[in-house]
Amino acid sequence: MFSPVRTLMPNDVSSAMELSIAANWNQTPEDWHRIMHLSAEGCRCIEDDGKIVATATLLPYGTRLAWIGMVLTRPEYRRRGLARLLLEDVIAIAERRGIHTLKLDATEEGRPLYEHLGFVVEKIVERWGRDGKELNSAKADVDHDAVARPDRSSSNISDGLFGLDTEAFGVSRKGLLELLSHSGSRNVTSRSYIFSRPGRTARYLGPCIANSDTEARQLIAAHLEDPANRREEQEDSVPHGWYWDLLSANAEAVRCAESFGFTRRRVLWRMRRGQMMENNDAMVYAIAGFELG
């Protein structure tokens, strides 16, 4: 018998991972724990017979915006209304907190449910990938003498970069960026940054924010060619490759992905419920993740 909707707890992560693996998603246990750290009460689930059978997460960025993600149901439990029940639950949490806008990245399969709940399409989000076998053959036309050198002198991100990210994304996500800075590797300049982190099936590139196309391209080149990252993607002699999620409206981000040997793998819909927000997509060269924004 299904449990009432309840909060997902740290000891539920191994069971929740079974859902994301069944969906062939790239998230790791650390990704689940990160969201729980940032929004413990916003991570919700339904249980049956001692196992997690459906999940949804709500990650608030203050009261202006919250991001819905990790909407998952075990295959054998689908089409029983569990996803709708969880979405109604996290929407209610957001309303109680006075959050003005909800956003999410929807698959084509999930889009009708989100539209029924009042979400509208804003833009297209695409997943691009580069397989391990393509690593050596993909070389972009980049002047490596001009590539911005990464700033690794401090574990801290400057206030200026936090401000740049807020301009690009629309709200501050300082807490998320501070956690991500300890989850993988990063390259930072005074006007741009790029992060990447391990994934279950591929290394994840993003987020990446930059003030110019040239700086973004140079920063991404430095990151992809970083020996530390290349060792990780080929550890155990198995080349795992990369995932890179971007906004298709940023034509330079698309051209950059193509030049580095990435190909389009999936198309999703960025959807909104509530107030429109101002941000600058031209500065967004890689998002933080479908579950993060």
Side-chain angles (χ1 to χ4, degrees):
M1 183 175 180
F2 297 141
S3 71
V5 175
R6 66 168 177 84
T7 300
L8 191 73
M9 305 302 290
N11 60 4
D12 294 319
V13 167
S14 60
S15 186
M17 273 296 298
E18 295 174 1
L19 278 68
S20 51
I21 291 171
N24 199 30
W25 287 11
N26 194 44
Q27 281 81 4
T28 66
E30 183 180 7
D31 292 317
W32 283 97
H33 284 293
R34 183 184 304 109
I35 299 176
M36 295 170 68
H37 178 84
L38 292 167
S39 179
E41 295 180 359
C43 297
R44 307 291 279 168
C45 68
I46 296 173
E47 182 181 353
D48 183 41
D49 195 24
K51 62 185 177 184
I52 304 301
V53 298
T55 61
T57 59
L58 179 78
L59 177 56
Y61 295 107
T63 58
R64 290 182 58 201
L65 173 68
W67 210 272
I68 292 175
M70 306 303 272
V71 181
L72 287 158
T73 304
R74 287 183 187 268
E76 65 269 29
Y77 286 85
R78 291 173 185 166
R79 307 194 185 284
R80 302 192 194 184
L82 301 184
R84 182 188 179 108
L85 189 62
L86 283 163
L87 286 165
E88 290 173 341
D89 178 79
V90 297
I91 290 170
I93 292 173
E95 290 176 344
R96 289 196 297 270
R97 295 185 181 182
I99 294 172
H100 300 162
T101 303
L102 295 175
K103 290 192 179 186
L104 54 81
D105 292 334
T107 63
E108 187 64 32
E109 181 182 13
R111 178 178 167 179
L113 173 58
Y114 300 127
E115 289 177 330
H116 189 76
L117 292 170
F119 288 83
V120 295
V121 171
E122 279 196 330
K123 62 197 72 170
I124 294 173
V125 185
E126 296 177 345
R127 165 152 291 178
W128 289 62
R130 193 172 88 173
D131 295 335
K133 63 185 179 182
E134 299 165 341
L135 294 176
N136 293 326
S137 60
K139 295 291 184 181
D141 183 15
V142 173
D143 180 359
H144 289 277
D145 290 335
V147 168
R149 299 301 177 189
D151 174 9
R152 300 179 181 221
S153 60
S154 171
S155 61
N156 297 319
I157 304 168
S158 70
D159 290 340
L161 278 182
F162 283 131
L164 191 76
D165 185 79
T166 299
E167 179 184 350
F169 187 63
V171 295
S172 173
R173 48 181 180 176
K174 181 176 180 180
L176 170 64
L177 295 179
E178 288 177 334
L179 284 182
L180 289 177
S181 69
H182 298 290
S183 296
S185 63
R186 73 182 189 278
N187 290 35
V188 178
T189 73
S190 62
R191 297 168 299 174
S192 60
Y193 74 80
I194 184 171
F195 292 175
S196 71
R197 60 188 185 270
R200 187 181 65 85
T201 62
R203 188 166 185 84
Y204 188 82
L205 181 78
C208 176
I209 303 296
N211 250 333
S212 73
D213 296 342
T214 299
E215 186 150 23
R217 180 176 290 268
Q218 293 174 349
L219 195 68
I220 293 166
H223 197 80
L224 291 172
E225 293 300 318
D226 189 316
N229 294 334
R230 293 179 68 84
R231 281 197 301 271
E232 287 185 27
E233 64 186 353
Q234 298 187 66
E235 64 183 353
D236 301 324
S237 300
V238 179
H240 297 294
W242 294 78
Y243 284 147
W244 175 352
D245 298 333
L246 54 80
L247 304 175
S248 63
N250 187 335
E252 179 57 29
V254 173
R255 287 191 290 269
C256 191
E258 290 175 333
S259 71
F260 285 114
F262 286 75
T263 57
R264 186 181 290 106
R265 303 293 176 85
R266 297 178 65 192
V267 175
L268 287 86
W269 306 94
R270 179 152 293 182
M271 305 186 74
R272 168 184 53 81
R273 185 180 192 270
Q275 298 178 5
M276 294 184 65
M277 294 180 55
E278 291 186 6
N279 64 302
N280 190 345
D281 288 343
M283 298 168 62
V284 179
Y285 288 84
I287 70 170
F290 295 141
E291 76 276 23
L292 304 174

